[in-house]
Amino acid sequence: MVADTAVLQIAPELFPNGIGRYAVGGLLVGLGVVVIYLGTGISAGASTFLESTLSYVSEQSRFQRYVASRDWRLVFTAGIVLGGFLFALTVQSGLLSSSLYQPGTTGQLHQLGGFTFWTTNVQPWRLFLGGTLVGIGTRIGKGCTSGHGVCGVGSASKTSIVGVLTFLAVAIGTAQIVAALGVSP
Amino acid sequence: MADRHPLFKPLIFVGGLIFGFGLGFSHMARPEVVLQFLQFEDFGLVFVMFGAAIVSGVAFAVLPRISDRAPLTGDAYERRLKAFDRNVLIGGGIFGVGWGLSGICPGAAYASLGVGNVTILWALAGMFLGAYAQGYWRSRAADAGPAVTGAD
């Protein structure tokens, strides 16, 4: 990629893993959103799945607002999980390789029947507490990294741009503080 | 919905498949890589979010000029803009603390399960708990009367 080499020549230390996997992955994430929008006119975000799925098990009025969309949100999420699985079966397992993909050294790789799976080293308490705050925050703040970050920014929504700048700035501050306190990984 | 086009759900599924594959390929499904970005050790994730936003942005801008309605729903290609209020800042702040602490966001968490990361179930359990807590609180606030319904 021309952009790849140009950026890497100017600031290689900012991109220790290159930019190929990030740029290609981002284009695919955008393409997934476009496929759904093209056929349905829906700009799909990932976090409303949490509330819409809770409508199956809770009568709270807040969740019942999402009854009409809960079936396709379940299908969308199943697609995301299986999309990750498809990636694990092909690229992560070495079945497909590309100069645009750098495997990286984070977490743990495991072999199972010829396939390579990956697990995180980030501690469970961080995942659980962080996940809880993500669950509260995306629902109060009307979106997450896909709803605000991809769909909202893509449609030049001022609300989404402010939302993204807010959570990005707070997340950077939080991650820096947590790292400074010596929590790793 | 009963009267939806038979290809409605298959198309949503294919879109999710590409979306999830992209999250795996970009390593956004790896919390460590997101944390490296937030700690300024690897700026690659800028390309994920902006790459995706540019692709979707082109479609959002071009499609409404080509066609009036989406083929599978008959819905207009319109921008569904969310109203700005202080909840965007409050919720964004809470989400930011959670994202910075865990390195995980909803879509990436689902994809992370797909790449084999069973440990991510901790984050998914937390997300449902958090979403339930805010829904419980806001349902009560909404049921309490018009004085507090302005919160949404």
Side-chain angles (χ1 to χ4, degrees):
Chain A
M1 265 170 83
V2 178
D4 197 320
T5 49
V7 171
L8 287 176
Q9 276 168 10
I10 296 164
E13 70 281 1
L14 302 181
F15 302 96
N17 297 299
I19 64 166
R21 73 182 190 201
Y22 297 114
V24 172
L27 296 181
L28 288 172
V29 169
L31 186 64
V33 168
V34 169
V35 163
I36 292 172
Y37 185 72
L38 186 66
T40 67
I42 295 169
S43 20
S47 58
T48 310
F49 166 74
L50 300 167
E51 275 173 303
S52 69
T53 303
L54 284 166
S55 74
Y56 288 107
V57 294
S58 168
E59 297 297 318
Q60 304 283 342
S61 57
R62 181 75 198 169
F63 305 127
Q64 293 302 314
R65 305 173 3 159
Y66 297 99
V67 165
S69 71
R70 65 186 182 181
D71 56 347
W72 73 254
R73 290 186 191 279
L74 209 56
V75 171
F76 179 49
T77 302
I80 297 173
V81 175
L82 285 171
F85 185 63
L86 205 63
F87 162 78
L89 293 185
T90 55
V91 180
Q92 190 165 275
S93 298
L95 203 66
L96 290 176
S97 61
S98 162
S99 60
L100 293 171
Y101 180 75
Q102 288 213 17
T105 55
T106 50
Q108 306 282 329
L109 291 171
H110 312 269
Q111 304 294 329
L112 191 73
F115 296 119
T116 304
F117 296 95
W118 181 90
T119 54
T120 184
N121 284 335
V122 173
Q123 301 170 65
W125 74 267
R126 293 182 75 172
L127 297 174
F128 183 73
L129 187 59
T132 306
L133 294 169
V134 164
I136 297 170
T138 60
R139 303 299 71 224
I140 291 177
K142 308 180 186 183
C144 61
T145 30
S146 57
H148 276 324
V150 178
C151 295
V153 170
S155 52
S157 153
K158 287 195 185 75
T159 299
S160 289
I161 292 168
V162 171
V164 170
L165 291 175
T166 304
F167 66 63
L168 198 54
V170 174
I172 288 169
T174 304
Q176 303 273 359
I177 290 168
V178 171
L181 291 172
V183 179
S184 173
Chain B
M1 302 258 185
D3 57 348
R4 275 201 181 124
H5 195 282
L7 288 177
F8 177 75
K9 281 183 188 167
L11 184 93
I12 297 268
F13 181 74
V14 170
L17 214 57
I18 300 170
F19 189 94
F21 191 96
L23 287 171
F25 197 95
S26 68
H27 282 206
M28 203 159 170
R30 297 189 177 195
E32 285 93 331
V33 176
V34 176
L35 291 172
Q36 283 169 359
F37 164 66
L38 296 173
Q39 291 163 16
F40 300 148
E41 291 162 8
D42 181 348
F43 284 86
L45 281 191
V46 170
F47 283 86
V48 183
M49 209 190 285
F50 284 102
I54 289 167
V55 171
S56 64
V58 169
F60 292 160
V62 170
L63 272 172
R65 293 163 205 266
I66 297 174
S67 173
D68 287 339
R69 306 205 166 271
L72 302 187
T73 54
D75 291 348
Y77 286 124
E78 58 187 11
R79 295 165 76 200
R80 290 188 185 80
L81 298 179
K82 293 164 182 170
F84 182 80
D85 55 41
R86 66 195 171 97
N87 277 341
V88 175
L89 299 176
I90 296 167
I94 297 171
F95 173 46
V97 174
W99 197 33
L101 183 62
S102 64
I104 209 73
C105 58
Y110 316 148
S112 197
L113 193 60
V115 301
N117 187 16
V118 287
T119 318
I120 207 69
L121 289 170
W122 285 103
L124 285 166
M127 282 180 204
F128 275 108
L129 184 74
Y132 183 79
Q134 73 84 33
Y136 180 80
W137 173 71
R138 291 175 97 183
S139 297
R140 284 177 57 114
D143 297 343
V148 284
T149 50
D152 188 28

